[in-house]
Structures are given as structure tokens and as C-alpha cells.
């Protein structure tokens, strides 16, 4: 680091579009986040299981947070931009104008969110085909992937949307198009969410079999026929218009993007753990699993050769770390579930006022309240009679059953803060047991994982981290840089800039 003293430090911008907010970071060449900003984005829920967003609202938020993190920095030292986003579906017409994905005809609402489950009947029919591409998504396609959503649009909004549509983007690819004017897609998005295979590309027979033969007819122009590896430079960099919007110099490198969980995985899985006496030290990266825990959770494990894990997505080649196969387990509702359980409890107003009075967040307050009532036994034993089944939004892995519902066993007539604290603890334990179920399934299929690397919002909750360590029996590593997803996005920008030879 000292030899670099005489050279001005280089910077990269990472932009992350989560479910409820957009965040940006300015990251230096050593991987340190030097500035950080975030801004909420809108979510519409017009009916049960329908979740929509606006691509214009998302882009405006991207511009606003980026301007904040680069203000006052010498623009000539900013070398590249990387985007990551949720794997939501963006629909635009032939002139790239937003198209409504709803019956109300609200064109500004042109994004079907990843967590939208409207296409449940379509995904059932797709899975009934047992087409060979399904073997690369754990044997069963998820309602959160794009083919069922596309089929839903064709069957429900044929005239207002399907026939007028010019392009269907995964949100990370929409952002790189917005920045560069190039409709190229990231290998990460098309492989993980659209059934593209890294060896054979699109499979015509699949799209014809499920009733979307129109996509084949236009040579896949609507869903992408130019695919780049994550971190590869897109087009000629930032267009003049995008540069002005973002407050960045025209022409700086823009990277092919990643899905947000994959950016988080990239941001932590290569961490230096020398001297920490961990089982993964001096072991290949395949001994690690990255757990990205936010609104939902993703469990990212890599392998040298393809491993087919029942009920776990993948194997996807080069979808996160180039040259390695990725398996992705997941839980559809984690942060969202904890919030739902805590805010829905009758004692929530009491919790809110007590947390406010002590100047702590509600979760910090709950954690200390649990310590108060645990007496002599470890805190985990408090829930000996209270059990939560956490699949309130279906099970993503490894049961792949979106019809599953949640359950609580052991309720009493108590209505106080103690009861709220206990159900909060039981919910966190249930999520950690779900992680253990995913890990055991991956290990039974051939993965050899000995250490967990956590990032995302929930990794900032010490109780969540401790329960994952206790319940999986594996050590948990947390990054010094808590914004691992943004670091992952910035790594993409650094790779695109040519300052580094590869993602590795």
C-alpha cells in the first residue's frame, strides 16, 4: 500500500438496487468504502402476491445516490461503475418507454418484482413439462424466475403489454442499458433466471414448449442475444446522457452487472482470513458459502465441477465467480418475515416506545430484552416450547414448494413484551434451521462447506449471526466492510475499467 503513496488513489462506484432502496458507494482500489448513500424506492402491491415497481423511479434514485457519493471527488480518479439489482422483470416498448405490467394500465409501474408470485399457475405448467433446462435450476423452476412471469403477461395482458413490448430486461441489465445504451445482458441474469445455458445458449424447444415461441421468432432480441460475463466492459461506457444523470464523466467504464445476491457473494467470498484459525484457511474457495441475508436470503456456494443439488438452483457456470460453478439456495422471506412477526404482535407499540426511550433500534432492544430474561441458560433455550415454521411466503430451497405456509406452535395467552421477544427469537432460529437444511442438502449432493460468510442487513444483527453459528455448527465470518453488496458491485466496475486483470 505504501508504494502507492505517490499515485493518486483510484475509485470505483458500486450501485445496488435492493427491494426497498437504492444504495451507492464510492470504493477505493483497496476495497474500502469511502462514501455511501441510500434512498428509498416505491413498491406497489395492487393485490395479494402482486408486487410492482417503476423503472423511472429506480433510475432516478440511482442518479441521486451516485451524485451524493461522488460529490467533491476528482472525477478523473473515478475509473468504473458496476451495478447490481434484484432479479425483477422490467418491461419497455419498442421505443424503450415503460409499459404497464398491471391490469390498471399504469405505465409507470413497469417492473414485476422478484418476490411477486402472480405466476403460480404458469410455473406449475412449466414444471410439468420436465424440460431438460429445469435440471439447471434444481429440477424445479421458481415462480420468482422470469419465464413464468413472461407467460403470465402473455396470457393476461396480451394486447396492452405483450404485443407492444420491445424488450424484457432483468433489472440489473436494464441498468447497464440505461447507462450505456447497449441491450447486452449479463451471463449472471440470463443463466440464473431465464434458462440460458453457458454452453448452449437459449433452447428453442423450451420456449416453444411453454408457449412463448414468439421470443424465438425474433431471434431472442426481446430477451437478449448479446451476453457478457459479469465485470466485462459494456459498449463505450457511460453515454453523455447517463453521465449527466449520474454526475460522472462521460465514457467511463460500465460493467456487465450482477444480481444483488451474487454481488454480495462476490463481495465476501474471497475474503482474506489468514491467521484467524478458521477451517477454510488454506482451503479452496469452494469450502466457503456466502450467505446474503436481507429481505430474503441467498446461500451461494461454488464448485470446480457442476454439482446438481435437488431443490437448489444451479449449477450455473461463471454466474458469480468466473470459471466456477454456482449453486444458489434461498429463503423467500427472512428480513421481511422477522419484520412481519414483530410488527404484527400486539406488544409492538410497547416495544416501539421503549426502544425509542432507550435510543435503540427495536431489534437492539429486543436482543437486550432476551438477555434480561434468559436467566442462567444460553438465550437459545428460551424457545424450548415455541416453534416457528418460517415458510410464510413458500419455500424456495430445498423443498421448492411455493404453496407452503408458515406456522407457529406453542402459543400462550401472554400478550407482553416477553412473548414478543420469544416469538422474535423463535423466528430467527427457524430461519437458521432453514439455512442448515439447505447446507445439509448441498453437502449431501457433494459440496464440502466448512465456513459461513455473512453479509446483508441481517448480518448486522448479532442474534441472527449467533443463531446461525449455533444451529449450523459452523463458524461465521463477517466482513470489515459491512456493505459487501456494494463492494461486489464496485469490483465489477474495477474489472471493467481494466485496472485489474480479472474478477479474481
Amino acid at each position: 500500500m505504501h508504494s502507492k503513496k505517490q499515485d493518486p488513489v483510484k475509485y470505483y462506484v458500486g450501485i445496488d438496487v435492493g427491494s426497498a432502496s437504492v444504495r451507492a458507494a464510492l470504493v477505493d482500489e483497496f476495497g474500502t468504502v469511502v462514501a455511501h448513500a441510500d434512498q428509498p424506492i416505491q413498491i406497489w402491491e395492487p393485490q395479494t402476491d402482486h408486487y410492482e415497481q417503476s423503472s423511472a423511479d429506480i433510475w432516478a434514485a440511482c442518479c441521486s445516490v451516485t451524485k451524493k457519493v461522488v460529490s467533491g471527488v476528482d472525477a478523473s480518479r473515478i475509473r468504473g461503475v458496476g451495478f447490481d439489482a434484484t432479479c425483477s422483470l422490467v418491461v419497455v416498448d419498442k421505443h424503450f418507454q415503460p409499459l404497464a405490467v398491471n391490469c390498471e394500465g399504469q405505465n409507470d409501474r413497469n417492473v414485476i418484482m422478484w418476490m411477486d408470485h402472480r405466476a403460480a399457475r404458469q410455473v406449475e405448467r412449466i414444471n410439468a413439462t420436465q424440460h431438460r433446462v429445469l435440471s439447471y435450476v434444481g429440477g424445479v423452476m421458481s415462480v420468482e424466475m422470469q419465464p413464468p412471469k413472461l407467460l403470465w403477461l402473455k396470457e393476461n395482458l396480451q394486447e396492452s403489454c405483450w404485443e407492444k413490448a420491445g424488450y424484457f430486461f432483468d433489472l440489473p441489465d436494464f441498468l447497464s442499458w440505461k447507462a450505456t445504451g447497449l441491450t447486452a445482458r449479463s451471463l449472471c441474469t440470463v443463466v440464473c433466471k431465464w434458462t440460458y445455458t453457458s454452453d448452449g445458449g437459449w433452447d428453442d424447444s423450451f420456449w416453444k414448449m411453454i408457449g412463448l415461441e414468439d421470443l424465438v421468432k425474433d431471434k431472442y432480441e426481446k430477451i437478449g442475444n448479446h451476453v457478457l460475463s459479469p465485470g466485462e466492459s459494456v459498449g463505450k461506457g457511460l453515454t453523455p446522457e447517463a453521465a449527466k444523470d449520474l454526475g460522472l464523466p462521460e465514457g467511463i467504464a460500465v460493467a456487465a452487472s450482477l444480481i444483488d445476491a451474487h454481488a454480495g457473494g462476490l463481495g465476501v467470498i474471497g475474503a482474506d482470513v489468514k491467521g484467524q484459525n478458521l477451517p477454510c484457511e488454506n482451503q479452496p474457495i469452494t469450502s466457503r458459502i456466502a450467505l446474503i441475508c436481507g429481505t430474503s436470503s441467498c446461500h451461494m456456494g461454488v464448485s470446480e465441477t457442476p454439482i446438481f443439488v435437488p431443490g437448489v438452483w444451479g449449477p450455473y457456470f461463471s454466474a458469480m465467480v468466473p470459471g466456477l460453478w454456482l449453486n444458489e439456495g434461498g429463503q423467500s422471506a427472512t428480513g421481511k418475515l422477522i419484520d412481519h412477526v414483530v410488527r404484527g404482535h400486539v406488544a409492538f407499540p410497547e416495544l416501539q416506545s421503549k426502544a425509542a426511550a432507550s435510543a435503540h433500534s427495536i431489534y437492539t432492544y429486543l436482543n437486550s430484552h432476551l438477555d434480561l430474561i434468559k436467566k442462567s441458560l444460553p438465550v437459545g433455550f428460551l424457545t424450548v416450547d415455541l416453534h416457528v415454521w418460517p415458510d410464510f411466503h413458500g419455500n424456495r430451497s430445498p423443498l421448492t414448494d411455493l404453496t407452503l405456509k408458515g406456522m407457529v406452535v406453542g402459543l400462550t395467552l401472554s400478550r407482553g413484551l416477553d412473548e414478543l421477544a420469544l416469538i422474535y427469537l423463535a423466528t430467527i432460529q427457524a430461519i437458521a434451521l432453514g439455512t442448515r437444511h439447505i447446507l445439509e442438502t448441498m453437502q449431501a449432493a457433494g459440496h464440502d462447506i466448512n465456513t459461513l460468510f455473512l453479509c446483508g442487513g441481517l448480518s448486522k444483527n448479532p442474534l441472527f449471526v449467533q443463531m446461525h453459528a449455533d444451529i449450523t455448527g459452523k463458524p461465521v465470518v463477517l466482513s470489515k466492510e459491512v456493505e459487501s453488496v456494494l463492494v461486489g458491485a464496485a469490483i465489477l466496475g474495477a474489472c471493467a475499467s481494466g485496472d485489474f486483470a480479472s474478477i479474481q
Side-chain angles (χ1 to χ4, degrees):
M1 200 164 159
H2 297 294
S3 65
K4 292 273 182 196
K5 273 279 167 58
Q6 65 274 29
D7 299 332
V9 176
K10 298 183 178 105
Y11 295 109
Y12 309 94
V13 177
I15 302 167
D16 162 50
V17 180
S19 301
S21 65
V22 174
R23 306 176 311 141
L26 188 68
V27 181
D28 70 17
E29 60 195 286
F30 312 107
T32 310
V33 175
V34 292
H36 169 260
D38 61 86
Q39 183 169 315
I41 48 177
Q42 256 185 298
I43 297 175
W44 287 269
E45 191 183 350
Q47 58 196 76
T48 308
D49 281 340
H50 287 232
Y51 294 94
E52 296 167 8
Q53 287 183 313
S54 153
S55 64
D57 176 49
I58 290 168
W59 180 251
C62 289
C63 298
S64 157
V65 290
T66 304
K67 280 179 173 154
K68 280 181 191 153
V69 298
V70 300
S71 73
V73 176
D74 175 358
S76 67
R77 287 159 64 180
I78 302 172
R79 306 269 304 148
V81 183
F83 292 96
D84 74 79
T86 64
C87 50
S88 300
L89 178 69
V90 185
V91 187
V92 295
D93 68 16
K94 294 169 180 70
H95 307 289
F96 295 98
Q97 294 306 304
L99 257 186
V101 294
N102 46 67
C103 308
E104 298 86 22
Q106 296 281 330
N107 281 331
D108 57 324
R109 284 160 37 200
N110 67 319
V111 181
I112 299 182
M113 284 186 77
W114 63 271
M115 62 185 183
D116 184 291
H117 281 193
R118 69 180 67 182
R121 297 215 332 261
Q122 285 75 13
V123 83
E124 267 176 36
R125 299 201 317 263
I126 291 171
N127 285 327
T129 66
Q130 298 188 331
H131 193 282
R132 64 185 186 84
V133 297
L134 300 178
S135 65
Y136 285 90
V137 290
V140 184
M141 179 167 284
S142 163
V143 70
E144 294 171 13
M145 292 178 179
Q146 309 303 8
K149 291 175 181 165
L150 293 168
L151 192 54
W152 186 93
L153 289 172
K154 182 177 179 178
E155 291 176 350
N156 291 274
L157 303 174
Q158 171 85 34
E159 285 173 23
S160 63
C161 177
W162 187 257
E163 286 171 7
K164 292 180 182 170
Y167 300 89
F168 299 103
F169 287 103
D170 214 279
L171 182 53
D173 295 326
F174 169 81
L175 297 171
S176 61
W177 164 73
K178 197 80 180 143
T180 64
L182 209 70
T183 61
R185 312 304 167 109
S186 162
L187 185 68
C188 172
T189 60
V190 291
V191 163
C192 297
K193 305 297 168 191
W194 299 71
T195 72
Y196 188 90
T197 57
S198 27
D199 49 359
W202 297 118
D203 187 316
D204 295 0
S205 67
F206 169 72
W207 297 101
K208 289 172 181 166
M209 188 181 272
I210 67 168
L212 294 178
E213 60 290 331
D214 1 8
L215 297 175
V216 184
K217 276 204 293 263
D218 64 20
K219 298 197 173 73
Y220 297 104
E221 193 189 2
K222 288 183 178 173
I223 61 171
N225 46 25
H226 178 196
V227 177
L228 300 172
S229 283
E232 224 179 304
S233 182
V234 183
K236 295 182 175 143
L238 278 184
T239 63
E241 190 187 1
K244 188 165 170 280
D245 285 352
L246 293 160
L248 288 167
E250 185 185 324
I252 70 167
V254 175
S257 53
L258 280 172
I259 297 165
D260 54 352
H262 301 61
L266 197 62
V268 292
I269 205 161
D272 178 5
V273 296
K274 282 189 198 72
Q276 303 290 332
N277 202 18
L278 286 163
C280 64
E281 193 177 342
N282 303 319
Q283 294 290 311
I285 197 171
T286 52
S287 64
R288 308 173 172 202
I289 192 160
L291 179 47
I292 298 87
C293 20
T295 306
S296 66
S297 290
C298 295
H299 307 67
M300 322 294 269
V302 290
S303 57
E304 299 275 352
T305 54
I307 298 175
F308 291 84
V309 186
V312 171
W313 297 344
Y316 301 135
F317 186 63
S318 287
M320 184 173 81
V321 182
L324 293 176
W325 293 84
L326 171 71
N327 280 111
E328 180 186 350
Q331 292 162 291
S332 295
T334 48
K336 191 172 174 64
L337 174 65
I338 296 167
D339 262 359
H340 174 79
V341 167
V342 169
R343 290 173 186 277
H345 195 277
V346 68
F348 180 66
E350 184 192 346
L351 166 66
Q352 253 184 323
S353 60
K354 286 189 166 161
S358 69
H360 283 126
S361 77
I362 55 174
Y363 294 116
T364 304
Y365 189 88
L366 278 174
N367 292 351
S368 57
H369 190 78
L370 285 165
D371 277 337
L372 215 62
I373 59 178
K374 73 177 185 192
K375 306 197 171 66
S376 57
L377 286 171
V379 75
F381 288 87
L382 281 169
T383 48
V384 65
D385 296 322
L386 183 63
H387 311 286
V388 173
W389 181 266
D391 295 330
F392 286 44
H393 198 49
N395 182 288
R396 191 190 291 168
S397 321
L399 302 177
T400 63
D401 184 346
L402 69 98
T403 66
L404 280 179
K405 304 286 187 280
M407 183 164 58
V408 185
V409 177
L411 290 171
T412 69
L413 292 174
S414 305
R415 294 161 60 87
L417 204 49
D418 286 7
E419 190 67 24
L420 169 49
L422 291 183
I423 197 160
Y424 158 72
L425 171 61
T427 304
I428 286 178
Q429 289 172 326
I431 291 167
L433 285 158
T435 291
R436 176 170 156 178
H437 191 189
I438 291 165
L439 284 179
E440 287 173 351
T441 307
M442 288 175 74
Q443 284 171 301
H447 279 275
D448 182 16
I449 294 158
N450 57 34
T451 311
L452 308 185
F453 286 72
L454 258 62
C455 69
L458 290 174
S459 69
K460 298 169 192 173
N461 181 335
L463 182 71
F464 185 89
V465 176
Q466 188 62 56
M467 287 303 122
H468 273 74
D470 291 355
I471 285 169
T472 63
K474 295 185 193 302
V476 172
V477 179
L478 298 176
S479 170
K480 192 165 63 180
E481 281 301 344
V482 291
E483 302 300 344
S484 302
V485 178
L486 285 165
V487 172
I491 287 171
L492 297 173
C495 187
S497 72
D499 292 345
F500 295 83
S502 68
I503 288 281
Q504 275 86 336

